[in-house]
Amino acid sequence: MAFAIKTTLVNVQNYLKSLGDFPMAQVGDFLIPPNQPLAAAIFMRSVRVYAVTAGGGIREVHTVTVRIARNTLNVPTEDIENNMADVVSRFLSKLLADSDLGTTVLSLDVAGMAGSPISTEWGFLELKTLWFRIVDIHLPILVDDSATSTP
């Protein structure tokens, strides 16, 4: 059995870029400090089968983490927190209203019916002595098995 994991990552990246809120949206976590005040990194958290159909098809859930990072240098703490809250709220609102992440996506598993629901974790990340306020958004994406099978 094979999964087209890259397709899911690229679909999320393209969606983020289309929103216009993120000057930088990259596949893979930040290894060096982003050179933009607001940036997004997309990486896979888990891939699993959550159902097998009577015809032998599978239903997959790809849980993608979208890490939004905001440089904290010379910005008041309250401004950073309010900015991150606005960005995360706007992103999730758009995503839930649209949820068109490409041809392989059946839907987002918002409430976690096939596992974990959409969730966020807030924290800080240090990269090369620079501090970033981060929000990890975990997106469980139900994937169409016919579109992810590879020979």
Side-chain angles (χ1 to χ4, degrees):
M1 169 182 339
F3 304 92
I5 297 167
K6 179 180 175 181
T7 302
T8 302
L9 292 170
V10 170
N11 286 347
V12 173
Q13 180 186 30
N14 290 338
Y15 183 80
L16 280 167
K17 287 180 177 181
S18 75
L19 296 177
D21 289 332
F22 303 97
M24 177 183 173
Q26 70 180 37
V27 173
D29 202 358
F30 303 113
L31 299 178
I32 60 172
N35 61 358
Q36 301 289 330
L38 186 66
I42 303 107
F43 50 93
M44 192 60 65
R45 183 175 185 189
S46 67
V47 175
R48 64 184 181 79
V49 172
Y50 69 90
V52 178
T53 64
I58 58 171
R59 295 290 183 250
E60 303 167 25
V61 61
H62 295 182
T63 302
V64 174
T65 297
V66 174
R67 172 167 286 165
I68 299 172
R70 173 76 167 86
N71 192 324
T72 62
L73 187 64
N74 299 322
V75 181
T77 304
E78 186 174 344
D79 291 349
I80 293 168
E81 203 67 16
N82 287 334
N83 176 254
M84 292 296 278
D86 288 343
V87 168
V88 170
S89 295
R90 193 168 46 252
F91 169 67
L92 288 174
S93 294
K94 287 178 182 178
L95 186 65
L96 294 177
D98 184 7
S99 74
D100 183 12
L101 294 175
T103 58
T104 61
V105 175
L106 291 174
S107 66
L108 291 168
D109 193 9
V110 177
M113 300 304 287
S116 299
I118 291 177
S119 64
T120 64
E121 294 178 59
W122 298 64
F124 291 89
L125 176 68
E126 182 183 13
L127 291 169
K128 310 276 185 188
T129 70
L130 292 174
W131 282 94
F132 293 82
R133 180 64 162 138
I134 62 165
V135 179
D136 287 347
I137 304 171
H138 306 296
L139 302 174
I141 301 170
L142 303 180
V143 178
D144 179 2
D145 66 325
S146 65
T148 62
S149 298
T150 55

Short mmCIF file of all heavy atoms in Angstrom, two decimals, residues 17-42:
data_model
loop_
_atom_site.label_atom_id
_atom_site.label_comp_id
_atom_site.label_asym_id
_atom_site.label_seq_id
_atom_site.Cartn_x
_atom_site.Cartn_y
_atom_site.Cartn_z
N LYS A 17 -0.62 29.75 0.29
CA LYS A 17 -0.13 30.81 -0.59
C LYS A 17 -1.27 31.58 -1.23
O LYS A 17 -1.18 32.80 -1.42
CB LYS A 17 0.78 30.22 -1.68
CG LYS A 17 2.13 29.79 -1.16
CD LYS A 17 2.98 29.21 -2.29
CE LYS A 17 4.37 28.85 -1.80
NZ LYS A 17 5.20 28.30 -2.89
N SER A 18 -2.36 30.89 -1.55
CA SER A 18 -3.50 31.55 -2.20
C SER A 18 -4.22 32.53 -1.29
O SER A 18 -4.90 33.43 -1.76
CB SER A 18 -4.50 30.50 -2.73
OG SER A 18 -5.24 29.93 -1.66
N LEU A 19 -4.07 32.37 0.02
CA LEU A 19 -4.76 33.25 0.97
C LEU A 19 -4.16 34.65 1.02
O LEU A 19 -4.84 35.61 1.36
CB LEU A 19 -4.74 32.64 2.37
CG LEU A 19 -5.47 31.32 2.55
CD1 LEU A 19 -5.29 30.80 3.97
CD2 LEU A 19 -6.94 31.46 2.21
N GLY A 20 -2.87 34.76 0.73
CA GLY A 20 -2.22 36.06 0.74
C GLY A 20 -1.78 36.55 2.11
O GLY A 20 -1.21 37.63 2.23
N ASP A 21 -2.04 35.78 3.16
CA ASP A 21 -1.66 36.19 4.53
C ASP A 21 -0.23 35.81 4.88
O ASP A 21 0.33 36.32 5.85
CB ASP A 21 -2.59 35.54 5.56
CG ASP A 21 -3.98 36.13 5.54
OD1 ASP A 21 -4.11 37.32 5.18
OD2 ASP A 21 -4.94 35.42 5.88
N PHE A 22 0.36 34.91 4.11
CA PHE A 22 1.67 34.37 4.46
C PHE A 22 2.68 34.66 3.35
O PHE A 22 2.65 33.99 2.31
CB PHE A 22 1.57 32.86 4.71
CG PHE A 22 0.58 32.52 5.77
CD1 PHE A 22 -0.72 32.13 5.43
CD2 PHE A 22 0.91 32.61 7.11
CE1 PHE A 22 -1.64 31.82 6.41
CE2 PHE A 22 -0.01 32.31 8.09
CZ PHE A 22 -1.30 31.92 7.74
N PRO A 23 3.56 35.63 3.56
CA PRO A 23 4.58 35.92 2.55
C PRO A 23 5.49 34.71 2.29
O PRO A 23 6.06 34.57 1.23
CB PRO A 23 5.39 37.06 3.15
CG PRO A 23 4.56 37.62 4.24
CD PRO A 23 3.65 36.52 4.71
N MET A 24 5.58 33.85 3.29
CA MET A 24 6.41 32.64 3.15
C MET A 24 5.59 31.45 3.63
O MET A 24 5.09 31.44 4.75
CB MET A 24 7.67 32.79 4.01
CG MET A 24 8.56 31.59 4.02
SD MET A 24 9.96 31.90 5.14
CE MET A 24 10.72 30.30 5.12
N ALA A 25 5.44 30.44 2.77
CA ALA A 25 4.77 29.18 3.13
C ALA A 25 5.61 28.06 2.54
O ALA A 25 5.65 27.89 1.32
CB ALA A 25 3.35 29.15 2.61
N GLN A 26 6.28 27.32 3.40
CA GLN A 26 7.21 26.31 2.91
C GLN A 26 6.82 24.93 3.42
O GLN A 26 6.25 24.80 4.50
CB GLN A 26 8.64 26.62 3.37
CG GLN A 26 8.86 26.44 4.87
CD GLN A 26 10.26 26.75 5.30
OE1 GLN A 26 10.89 27.66 4.79
NE2 GLN A 26 10.78 26.00 6.26
N VAL A 27 7.13 23.91 2.62
CA VAL A 27 6.99 22.53 3.08
C VAL A 27 8.26 22.20 3.86
O VAL A 27 9.36 22.43 3.37
CB VAL A 27 6.78 21.56 1.90
CG1 VAL A 27 6.83 20.12 2.39
CG2 VAL A 27 5.46 21.84 1.20
N GLY A 28 8.08 21.71 5.06
CA GLY A 28 9.21 21.43 5.95
C GLY A 28 9.29 22.48 7.05
O GLY A 28 8.93 23.63 6.84
N ASP A 29 9.73 22.03 8.22
CA ASP A 29 9.81 22.94 9.36
C ASP A 29 10.94 23.95 9.16
O ASP A 29 11.81 23.79 8.31
CB ASP A 29 10.05 22.14 10.65
CG ASP A 29 9.63 22.88 11.90
OD1 ASP A 29 9.18 24.04 11.79
OD2 ASP A 29 9.74 22.31 13.00
N PHE A 30 10.91 24.99 9.95
CA PHE A 30 11.92 26.03 9.90
C PHE A 30 13.24 25.49 10.47
O PHE A 30 13.27 25.06 11.61
CB PHE A 30 11.50 27.26 10.70
CG PHE A 30 10.19 27.85 10.27
CD1 PHE A 30 9.10 27.81 11.11
CD2 PHE A 30 10.05 28.43 9.02
CE1 PHE A 30 7.88 28.35 10.72
CE2 PHE A 30 8.85 28.97 8.62
CZ PHE A 30 7.76 28.94 9.47
N LEU A 31 14.29 25.52 9.68
CA LEU A 31 15.62 25.16 10.16
C LEU A 31 16.47 26.40 10.37
O LEU A 31 17.42 26.39 11.15
CB LEU A 31 16.30 24.22 9.17
CG LEU A 31 15.58 22.89 8.94
CD1 LEU A 31 16.33 22.06 7.90
CD2 LEU A 31 15.43 22.13 10.24
N ILE A 32 16.13 27.46 9.65
CA ILE A 32 16.76 28.76 9.84
C ILE A 32 15.64 29.77 10.06
O ILE A 32 14.50 29.52 9.67
CB ILE A 32 17.64 29.16 8.63
CG1 ILE A 32 16.80 29.22 7.35
CG2 ILE A 32 18.82 28.23 8.47
CD1 ILE A 32 17.56 29.79 6.17
N PRO A 33 15.92 30.88 10.69
CA PRO A 33 14.86 31.86 10.94
C PRO A 33 14.23 32.36 9.64
O PRO A 33 14.95 32.71 8.69
CB PRO A 33 15.59 33.00 11.66
CG PRO A 33 16.82 32.39 12.21
CD PRO A 33 17.20 31.29 11.26
N PRO A 34 12.90 32.39 9.57
CA PRO A 34 12.25 32.96 8.40
C PRO A 34 12.62 34.43 8.26
O PRO A 34 12.75 35.14 9.25
CB PRO A 34 10.76 32.81 8.70
CG PRO A 34 10.66 31.86 9.83
CD PRO A 34 11.95 31.90 10.56
N ASN A 35 12.77 34.88 7.03
CA ASN A 35 13.13 36.28 6.81
C ASN A 35 11.90 37.17 6.62
O ASN A 35 12.03 38.30 6.19
CB ASN A 35 14.08 36.41 5.61
CG ASN A 35 13.45 35.92 4.32
OD1 ASN A 35 12.31 35.45 4.31
ND2 ASN A 35 14.18 36.00 3.23
N GLN A 36 10.75 36.66 6.95
CA GLN A 36 9.50 37.40 6.89
C GLN A 36 8.95 37.55 8.32
O GLN A 36 9.16 36.67 9.15
CB GLN A 36 8.46 36.66 6.04
CG GLN A 36 8.89 36.41 4.61
CD GLN A 36 8.91 37.69 3.80
OE1 GLN A 36 8.15 38.62 4.05
NE2 GLN A 36 9.80 37.76 2.83
N PRO A 37 8.22 38.63 8.60
CA PRO A 37 7.66 38.78 9.95
C PRO A 37 6.64 37.69 10.28
O PRO A 37 6.49 37.30 11.43
CB PRO A 37 6.99 40.14 9.94
CG PRO A 37 7.18 40.71 8.59
CD PRO A 37 7.97 39.77 7.75
N LEU A 38 5.95 37.18 9.25
CA LEU A 38 4.95 36.12 9.45
C LEU A 38 5.21 35.05 8.40
O LEU A 38 5.31 35.35 7.21
CB LEU A 38 3.54 36.69 9.29
CG LEU A 38 2.38 35.75 9.59
CD1 LEU A 38 2.37 35.38 11.08
CD2 LEU A 38 1.06 36.39 9.21
N ALA A 39 5.34 33.80 8.85
CA ALA A 39 5.65 32.71 7.93
C ALA A 39 4.92 31.45 8.34
O ALA A 39 4.49 31.31 9.49
CB ALA A 39 7.16 32.47 7.91
N ALA A 40 4.78 30.52 7.39
CA ALA A 40 4.11 29.25 7.67
C ALA A 40 4.99 28.10 7.18
O ALA A 40 5.58 28.18 6.10
CB ALA A 40 2.76 29.20 7.00
N ALA A 41 5.08 27.06 8.00
CA ALA A 41 5.77 25.82 7.62
C ALA A 41 4.74 24.71 7.65
O ALA A 41 3.87 24.68 8.53
CB ALA A 41 6.91 25.52 8.58
N ILE A 42 4.80 23.82 6.68
CA ILE A 42 3.84 22.72 6.56
C ILE A 42 4.61 21.42 6.66
O ILE A 42 5.58 21.21 5.92
CB ILE A 42 3.10 22.79 5.20
CG1 ILE A 42 2.41 24.14 5.01
CG2 ILE A 42 2.11 21.65 5.07
CD1 ILE A 42 3.08 25.03 4.03
#
